[in-house]
Amino acid sequence: MEVIIQSSKQEACALGARWIARLLRQKPRAVLGLATGSTPVLLYKELIRLHREEGLDFSGVTTFNLDEYLGLAPEHPASYHHFMQENLFRHINIAPENTHIPDGQATDVPATCRAYEEKIQAAGGIDLQILGIGGDGHIGFNEPSSSLTSRTRIKSLTQRTRQDNAPFFEKPEDIPQHVITMGVGTIMDAREIVLLAFGQGKAAPISATVEGPITASVPASILQFHSKATLLLDEEAAGDLKRAEYYRWVHDNKPDWQKV
Ligand code: F6R
């Protein structure tokens, strides 16, 4: 697990975007795993800039999003379908048929989840998975106590996560109780993982993820088992890390061939 601490979320997102751009230049038909929420918004803005100003090409790219609220139509302003259209897809040259987000209106949820897993397999697996982290350590919508080997399935949100996401809904009772999310095992199958976390509210889950024990109580802690997981943090999210100085030193003293 590599921890990279940047002075601001702008810098962290610029680095994250360069990371993705490097992959797309090496592998134009790459498969990306994408996240929603407030964390990746700047990352997506930077990808849009790279597309417009430097010709970053998404025409061969396939994407799979982590999750979607159950019960929301794609055009609902709080749905993750809507989020992805507005924050990324409609601004880049990605083929709509290459973008995948779990179906929030699924009637046969288990079959929908199985089909999602099969589509990821058929695409050759995820090359690079982008993640945010919940205040309780969730990744995707795998809330604490989620099986660390889980696959795409229905989950019930905790009250805390529903409260965190309340600003996106008009009334508290509009916030869905259920979601479809990639499982922890699905996420761990990605060949590479980049988790972004910004702000003081993420300091506790980040320190538990990096320096705590691996536990289903902090689902992100399983990333300690991933051979290519990188955390891109701002100073505030890194605020509780005991070995922050070491992580900084490692990053500042990388050999040139390892730099992005
Ligand atoms: C979103 C997702 C979630 C968020 C997490 C953090 O697709 O899977 O795990 O990444 O809830 O949300 P923000 O970024 O809004 O703090």
Side-chain angles (χ1 to χ4, degrees), residues 9-255:
K9 68 175 171 184
Q10 284 78 5
E11 281 195 31
C13 286
L15 179 57
R18 288 204 299 280
W19 208 287
I20 294 173
R22 181 183 60 173
L23 171 67
L24 300 195
R25 288 183 183 122
Q26 285 166 353
K27 187 174 180 184
R29 301 189 65 77
V31 179
L32 299 178
L34 298 178
T36 56
S38 51
T39 303
V41 170
L42 273 181
L43 172 80
Y44 295 155
K45 277 205 167 77
E46 182 60 13
L47 287 177
I48 294 165
R49 191 192 68 73
L50 290 176
H51 168 66
R52 287 187 180 148
E53 295 177 14
E54 296 180 22
L56 185 63
D57 183 15
F58 290 85
S59 59
V61 172
T62 297
T63 63
F64 287 91
N65 264 77
L66 285 164
D67 39 22
E68 178 58 288
Y69 292 108
L70 262 177
L72 296 196
E75 53 279 3
H76 190 290
S79 78
Y80 288 163
H81 280 76
H82 187 263
F83 175 99
M84 290 308 301
Q85 283 306 323
E86 290 307 307
N87 287 284
L88 185 63
F89 295 154
R90 75 183 180 87
H91 306 285
I92 58 174
N93 65 332
I94 195 161
E97 62 274 21
N98 289 350
T99 66
H100 304 88
I101 304 176
D103 178 5
Q105 294 187 301
T107 44
D108 186 342
V109 173
T112 299
C113 295
R114 271 196 306 278
Y116 202 67
E117 290 275 336
E118 283 162 14
K119 275 190 202 147
I120 296 173
Q121 290 283 323
I126 292 172
D127 291 300
L128 173 61
Q129 174 69 55
I130 300 297
L131 294 177
I133 185 169
D136 57 6
H138 69 231
I139 46 175
F141 272 135
N142 296 285
E143 299 283 31
S145 81
S146 288
S147 158
L148 297 179
T149 60
S150 50
R151 311 303 305 184
T152 302
R153 68 212 185 294
I154 186 172
K155 283 297 289 180
S156 305
L157 296 178
T158 61
Q159 288 312 314
R160 175 175 181 177
T161 300
R162 293 183 73 234
Q163 273 158 20
D164 287 347
N165 292 347
F168 301 101
F169 293 86
E170 264 178 38
K171 302 189 289 295
E173 56 272 27
D174 291 346
I175 311 165
Q177 307 270 3
H178 296 107
V179 294
I180 291 180
T181 180
M182 278 187 204
V184 181
T186 319
I187 293 169
M188 286 293 285
D189 283 349
R191 287 184 267 280
E192 186 172 5
I193 294 180
V194 173
L195 184 149
L196 305 164
F198 311 127
Q200 224 177 358
K202 301 294 168 74
I206 285 297
S207 95
T209 295
V210 180
E211 295 175 344
I214 294 171
T215 167
S217 296
V218 182
S221 64
I222 191 69
L223 297 181
Q224 292 177 31
F225 263 129
H226 198 283
S227 58
K228 224 174 167 200
T230 305
L231 276 66
L232 289 183
L233 312 176
D234 66 1
E235 294 285 351
E236 291 176 323
D240 288 357
L241 290 173
K242 290 193 192 68
R243 282 184 286 274
E245 283 320 307
Y246 171 67
Y247 309 137
R248 276 186 237 276
W249 190 91
V250 170
H251 186 64
D252 293 345
N253 290 280
K254 278 190 169 199

